[in-house]
Amino acid sequence: MSLSLSQPALLRSQNFINQQWREAGQHRRLPVANPATGGTFAHVPDSDADDASQAVDAAAAAFPAWSRRPARERAQLIKRWHALILANQEDLALIISTEQGKPLKEARGEVLYGASYVEWFAEEATRICGDIVAEAVPGRKLLVLEEPVGVVAAITPWNFPLAMIARKIAPALAAGCTVVAKPAEDTPLTALALVWLAEQAGIPAGVLNIVTASRANTPVVVDAWLADSRVRKITFTGSTPVGKHLARESAATLKKLSLELGGNAPFIVFDDADLDAAVDGLMASKFRNGGQTCVCPNRVYVQDAVHDAFVERLAQRVGALHVGPATEEAAQIGPMINARAVDKIARHVEDAVARGARVVTGGKRLRAEDGPHYYAPTVLVGATPEMELSCEETFGPVAPVFRFHDEQEVIRDANDTPFGLAAYFYSNDVRRIWRVAQALETGMVGINEGAIAAEAAPFGGVKESGYGREGSRHGLDDYMHTKYLCQGQLG
Ligand code: SIN
């Protein structure tokens, strides 16, 4: 492998099962590409069902001891892991940038962001508590305990290779669960590095296991976990079709599920908004990670009276974004993750233009001489609901602007989607703020704010964007079940 790190041991190329770094049973390997060039720079195991089951064997064997360990001891180990993540911030950021294409500055931010969940859940571990309920019948005591669900399978996406897996593993470990994890095939190296740091922190054998797999073998690994009754919960971030598959197939063993799925976020600018703040908010939320986030605005609605002024200010900012290889300090937009991603962005823009949208800035592939995966940050005006980009996540640096006349119309259009992850709006009218916040059918709403995710807040969606929450105290509940004890003969 060709990355120059201060701590070279962070670059792992094997699965981690029962405290051993191992090849996949069949010794198959999966290439990892740098999205800037499309060139392979590392290999990891391409695991199969046997590897997946061995990971569950280890996690199931480790569960009794880990779940009974005092919460404070679990918390101390997780805090040690947190400290090691911070101590290796620069190396981890370089791994993220190289395998995912996220600009270095943002990658450093992702390390802090992911670490904040680890710290939060280390602290929450010590606050797990149940209830003692007032007895209805004399001579009885009614007690409610919160217990870890058991073995958790964590399946994570490529767009936040560190933060997404951290915010699943940390609450699972804090609750007393053990984990089998599979990172996205495009970005396995950050996850392996994170697991190595957990090993260095002293997380015991079998408590945290990870296997990597290619796109072709991912269903084999996941199906093994779906069929295994020892896996009591699946936590997944990714597409809605895969989320529905997991929900269907886990029904046979009735696993608990947390699904953080696709979005189609509206971003609404009312005519009473602070336009500069709205442009800042849109730049932060739309162009973060090159627009490759589930919560980034997919549809920008701007009210008539401020439409032209807003578009002018937005286009100036978007046109000035520096596009380049993610590992270049100056880059603000890196390459998209792969060729399929760039093809989808290009298809959405072509479809919009064919249906009457106008490109204000961008609207084309870029820098083919450096690599195949760049797309120019783009602003379109004249977007309409018939366009593909109105119904489907573009997952790229494209801001399509829809013009609207009144509040009722924009709420109807904003909610006219099966998805309900995030929504944003800008207004300075306090009555409107409450009306609109309540009317939007999403799990999260940014009000005069474009950056809404935080470890202390419940992240998650409604409708076909899934269920379950990550972060906050609710994020821990998702890894526990409630047990009721009724003790009699006390009178
Ligand atoms: C996501 O895109 O799924 C996560 C984004 C975030 O945590 O802000």
Side-chain angles (χ1 to χ4, degrees):
M1 287 197 239
S2 55
L3 277 187
S4 162
L5 302 178
S6 310
Q7 174 50 278
L10 281 167
L11 269 186
R12 314 306 301 177
S13 56
Q14 291 173 310
N15 290 335
F16 186 66
I17 300 176
N18 207 18
Q19 213 74 348
Q20 287 169 358
W21 292 96
R22 312 183 188 165
E23 289 306 321
Q26 299 291 325
H27 287 265
R28 276 195 293 257
R29 307 287 281 160
L30 154 71
V32 185
N34 177 337
T37 60
T40 297
F41 74 100
H43 286 86
V44 295
D46 188 3
S47 311
D48 62 15
D50 278 347
D51 302 304
S53 296
Q54 285 169 25
V56 180
D57 293 345
F63 177 70
W66 180 248
S67 58
R68 280 191 220 115
R69 204 144 167 180
R72 186 157 296 283
E73 283 183 25
R74 292 201 303 268
Q76 277 159 354
L77 289 170
I78 300 168
K79 274 194 181 159
R80 232 181 273 159
W81 185 33
H82 170 251
L84 288 174
I85 295 171
L86 294 185
N88 289 276
Q89 181 189 9
E90 205 52 37
D91 280 349
L92 290 168
L94 187 58
I95 300 174
I96 294 172
S97 279
T98 309
E99 69 174 348
Q100 197 255 286
K102 179 171 293 170
L104 257 185
K105 265 198 211 94
E106 276 192 55
R108 291 186 187 110
E110 180 178 344
V111 178
L112 299 182
Y113 177 52
S116 72
Y117 285 91
V118 176
E119 185 178 38
W120 170 269
F121 284 113
E123 290 163 353
E124 283 298 287
T126 60
R127 297 186 196 120
I128 296 170
C129 56
D131 299 306
I132 299 177
V133 185
E135 54 268 35
V137 177
R140 281 192 186 173
K141 286 281 175 217
L142 317 184
L143 298 100
V144 181
L145 308 184
E146 294 298 329
E147 295 190 329
V149 292
V151 175
V152 171
I155 304 164
T156 56
W158 52 263
N159 61 343
F160 288 85
L162 188 143
M164 295 302 105
I165 200 158
R167 79 183 187 194
K168 294 181 188 308
I169 293 175
L173 299 187
C177 299
T178 54
V179 177
V180 294
K182 196 212 72 72
E185 48 285 352
D186 292 307
T187 57
L189 297 173
T190 310
L192 293 174
L194 211 54
V195 169
W196 184 75
L197 290 173
E199 181 192 8
Q200 306 312 303
I203 301 290
V207 169
L208 177 55
N209 308 276
I210 186 165
V211 298
T212 55
S214 61
R215 198 161 266 114
N217 264 346
T218 288
V220 175
V221 166
V222 172
D223 286 351
W225 290 344
L226 282 165
D228 194 324
S229 60
R230 295 171 299 169
V231 175
R232 293 314 312 147
K233 175 181 168 100
I234 296 197
T235 170
F236 170 69
T237 297
S239 75
T240 293
V242 173
K244 288 181 180 177
H245 170 79
L246 297 176
R248 269 193 304 270
E249 297 303 315
S250 63
T253 51
L254 282 183
K255 300 184 199 310
K256 195 161 174 156
L257 282 178
S258 296
L259 300 174
E260 201 257 273
L261 308 177
N264 183 3
F267 185 104
I268 306 168
V269 184
F270 288 102
D271 56 13
D272 53 43
D274 174 337
L275 281 199
D276 288 328
V279 172
D280 285 347
L282 185 58
M283 294 303 295
S285 57
K286 173 73 243 187
F287 294 94
R288 171 175 173 235
N289 200 16
Q292 301 172 107
T293 84
C294 300
V295 286
C296 77
N298 204 47
R299 299 166 291 155
V300 182
Y301 295 96
V302 186
Q303 199 158 11
D304 280 332
V306 292
H307 178 276
D308 294 353
F310 180 83
V311 168
E312 193 186 326
R313 290 182 214 186
L314 178 67
Q316 259 172 23
R317 295 276 298 276
V318 173
L321 286 170
H322 182 84
V323 184
T327 46
E328 258 177 35
E329 274 303 333
Q332 291 170 296
I333 303 283
M336 300 295 104
I337 186 71
N338 54 34
R340 279 182 303 133
V342 194
D343 290 346
K344 182 180 187 188
I345 298 165
R347 175 166 60 76
H348 275 191
V349 172
E350 280 157 25
D351 171 75
V353 170
R355 292 174 194 261
R358 179 170 63 81
V359 174
V360 183
T361 185
K364 56 180 191 293
R365 293 169 191 262
L366 270 189
R367 294 176 63 139
E369 73 281 9
D370 289 340
H373 301 153
Y374 291 96
Y375 199 89
T378 297
V379 177
L380 300 171
V381 287
T384 59
E386 298 71 40
M387 296 172 181
E388 283 180 35
L389 48 64
S390 168
C391 320
E392 235 188 285
E393 271 181 310
T394 302
F395 237 62
V398 178
V401 179
F402 300 67
R403 185 189 278 266
F404 75 92
H405 307 292
D406 63 55
E407 187 180 306
Q408 277 185 344
E409 169 204 351
V410 78
I411 287 172
R412 187 199 60 219
D413 288 354
N415 287 338
D416 186 19
T417 166
F419 303 103
L421 190 56
Y424 308 82
F425 69 94
Y426 279 69
S427 167
N428 278 326
D429 175 339
V430 71
R431 290 191 184 84
R432 165 175 277 163
I433 284 175
W434 280 100
R435 271 196 313 271
V436 175
Q438 287 177 314
L440 288 168
E441 297 168 356
T442 57
M444 298 173 280
V445 182
I447 306 167
N448 295 329
E449 181 57 63
I452 55 175
E455 76 284 4
F459 189 105
V462 297
K463 295 162 75 177
E464 295 189 22
S465 291
Y467 39 74
R469 292 293 178 267
E470 294 190 327
S472 81
R473 66 185 167 79
H474 303 286
L476 198 58
D477 293 345
D478 269 15
Y479 293 86
M480 298 194 292
H481 56 220
T482 300
K483 182 186 276 178
Y484 156 56
L485 308 184
C486 176
Q487 187 174 5
Q489 305 299 322
L490 294 172

